[in-house]
Amino acid sequence: MEQLLEHLATVGQRLVTEKPLPGMSIGLVTPQNQQQACYLGQIDDQAMHPVQAETIYDLASLTKLYTASAYLHLALDEKFDLDQPLKKVLPNFNHPKITFKQILGHNSGLPSSVRKTTHLTKAMLENDLYTRELLNTPGTEIHYSDVGYMLLGKALSKVMGMSLEQAMQTLVITPLQLKETGYRTNAMPEFMAIPESRFAPTEINPDRGGELRGEVDDFKAELLGGAAGHAGIFSTQADTLTFLSDWLRPEMVALLRESRFDFRTLGWHYWRFGGEDFPSVEQDWLYQTGFTGTIMALNLKTNQGLSILSNRVYPNRQVYDWWRVDRYQMPQAFFAQ
């Protein structure tokens, strides 16, 4: 594991040195939660603000994995049927045939997002969640969907009879002993009490008062109060690795394997190669990315997990558009060991 971390650090350092990436945290973990990590660069443009073990990052869409984890824990405890329709829990949902498993695997037919407008309100967003037209028949095609995971967040609150924050605390954060993981809302007062200086800043957004630090970057999660099924969770490197260690348990892996649909499974994307015309899916390599510059990956051949935490959107999301391509150097190096 040490040799692999050194190799990943070399790749990461090149991205920090050659590209406008402030810094990053790289971590590896085993199913026994044996962890190794390294920290490169800064959290902003100040040399006196290095990335450290205690730095907390906005995980962005990696939040979807926490939502998926909550449902998998319920399913493994035989407290929830993933094949039941979402409408059974959310009666106002317009599509009676879409199941929880289809939403978790991004093959529900739901679109990627809500309507595109600079004047989106919470009421407009929530209306769109329940009424958006489908792109295709449920269970036939894969379309990555924030809409689906926002609905999963709302349904989880209903299933558990508590706020989404409390449900995530009950099902994932407390059982896994994630001591510095959470939503930055008043429903998680201990996490809210952590000083802002511990958080890596994301964007400098004049429309939201300037620098976003310890405040969710995703605007849809912001409209939903800071906690959503698709985005909103913050965490440290150590906690993300503990979280990944749980995914490496045999029962979790078995559920992922049996729920595979093409290049997707519950929360995760399978690594593909060979080009668009003749893609090949590697069934033992899974990953998920987040808009702010975060990555998680599982190598089921070596039984290891990878966590990359960064704030590539600092000081704004346009400064490193190439990250969407360059980021794949990290999981590729991890898988190619």
Side-chain angles (χ1 to χ4, degrees):
M1 192 158 64
E2 185 174 344
Q3 186 176 4
L4 174 59
L5 185 62
E6 289 178 1
H7 177 53
L8 289 167
T10 300
V11 176
Q13 187 61 61
R14 184 169 65 247
L15 293 174
V16 171
T17 302
E18 298 178 0
K19 302 289 183 180
L21 184 70
M24 69 166 62
S25 168
I26 306 170
L28 296 170
V29 70
T30 69
Q32 295 76 36
N33 201 24
Q34 296 170 315
Q35 302 184 6
Q36 286 193 359
C38 66
Y39 311 95
L40 311 173
Q42 292 79 237
I43 63 172
D44 53 25
D45 54 4
Q46 301 296 315
M48 64 197 66
H49 298 154
V51 176
Q52 297 178 311
E54 58 264 31
T55 303
I56 301 173
Y57 282 90
D58 182 337
L59 299 188
S61 278
L62 294 190
T63 299
K64 293 181 175 72
L65 295 178
Y66 291 75
T67 302
S69 174
Y71 278 102
L72 265 66
H73 286 162
L74 283 172
L76 289 172
D77 289 341
E78 299 183 349
K79 296 178 180 178
F80 195 79
D81 179 10
L82 297 178
D83 289 312
Q84 68 180 296
L86 180 75
K87 190 174 178 68
K88 186 175 180 180
V89 177
L90 298 178
N92 293 333
F93 185 52
N94 267 11
H95 307 290
K97 294 185 178 180
I98 293 178
T99 68
F100 281 86
K101 183 175 287 187
Q102 289 168 343
I103 298 176
L104 285 164
H106 294 284
N107 62 88
S108 65
L110 287 166
S112 62
S113 191
V114 294
R115 72 188 82 175
K116 303 292 185 184
T117 172
T118 56
H119 305 292
L120 188 69
T121 65
K122 182 179 180 180
M124 293 161 62
L125 184 154
E126 293 197 328
N127 178 72
D128 282 6
L129 294 184
Y130 291 93
T131 62
R132 291 282 277 177
E133 292 186 7
L134 299 183
L135 300 175
N136 53 265
T137 302
T140 61
E141 297 180 20
I142 293 173
H143 293 283
Y144 185 78
S145 178
D146 278 1
V147 168
Y149 271 77
M150 282 185 271
L151 287 164
L152 288 177
K154 288 184 171 295
L156 188 62
S157 178
K158 280 283 194 73
V159 168
M160 296 296 291
M162 57 185 70
S163 69
L164 175 59
E165 296 96 321
Q166 292 170 321
M168 197 66 72
Q169 188 93 44
T170 300
L171 295 170
V172 180
I173 294 173
T174 297
L176 299 184
Q177 300 182 46
L178 307 180
K179 302 184 185 305
E180 295 186 307
T181 297
Y183 291 106
R184 287 280 283 173
T185 72
N186 291 330
M188 302 190 81
E190 291 184 4
F191 197 68
M192 276 291 287
I194 296 175
E196 284 189 4
S197 59
R198 291 276 311 278
F199 292 80
T202 51
E203 299 183 81
I204 297 176
N205 187 334
D207 293 335
R208 291 177 58 185
E211 183 181 85
L212 301 180
R213 184 190 291 261
E215 182 180 352
V216 64
D217 183 77
D218 185 275
F219 79 99
K220 298 184 293 293
E222 181 208 9
L223 282 177
L224 292 171
H230 75 295
I233 285 183
F234 293 78
S235 191
T236 60
Q237 182 61 266
D239 268 11
T240 59
L241 292 175
T242 298
F243 173 71
L244 279 174
S245 180
D246 184 63
W247 280 99
L248 291 168
R249 290 189 295 125
E251 53 267 45
M252 293 283 275
V253 172
L255 194 48
L256 290 177
R257 291 191 188 281
E258 71 184 45
S259 303
R260 177 191 163 193
F261 179 86
D262 196 8
F263 59 89
R264 278 280 181 186
T265 186
L266 309 175
W268 294 91
H269 189 301
Y270 285 97
W271 190 255
R272 294 191 297 172
F273 53 91
E276 293 184 2
D277 294 332
F278 302 101
S280 177
V281 177
E282 175 49 67
Q283 299 182 40
D284 292 317
W285 296 346
L286 302 97
Y287 72 98
Q288 169 70 9
T289 62
F291 182 79
T292 52
T294 54
I295 305 170
M296 285 184 180
L298 301 174
N299 188 336
L300 302 181
K301 290 183 177 179
T302 62
N303 231 18
Q304 290 177 314
L306 168 72
S307 170
I308 305 293
L309 304 181
S310 82
N311 53 337
R312 70 95 190 170
V313 292
Y314 183 85
N316 63 70
R317 61 182 61 192
Q318 286 78 35
V319 72
Y320 193 3
D321 276 342
W322 273 100
W323 174 253
R324 293 170 184 256
V325 175
D326 291 340
R327 62 185 175 183
Y328 293 112
Q329 295 179 39
M330 301 303 296
Q332 187 166 29
F334 171 62
F335 293 141
Q337 61 183 294

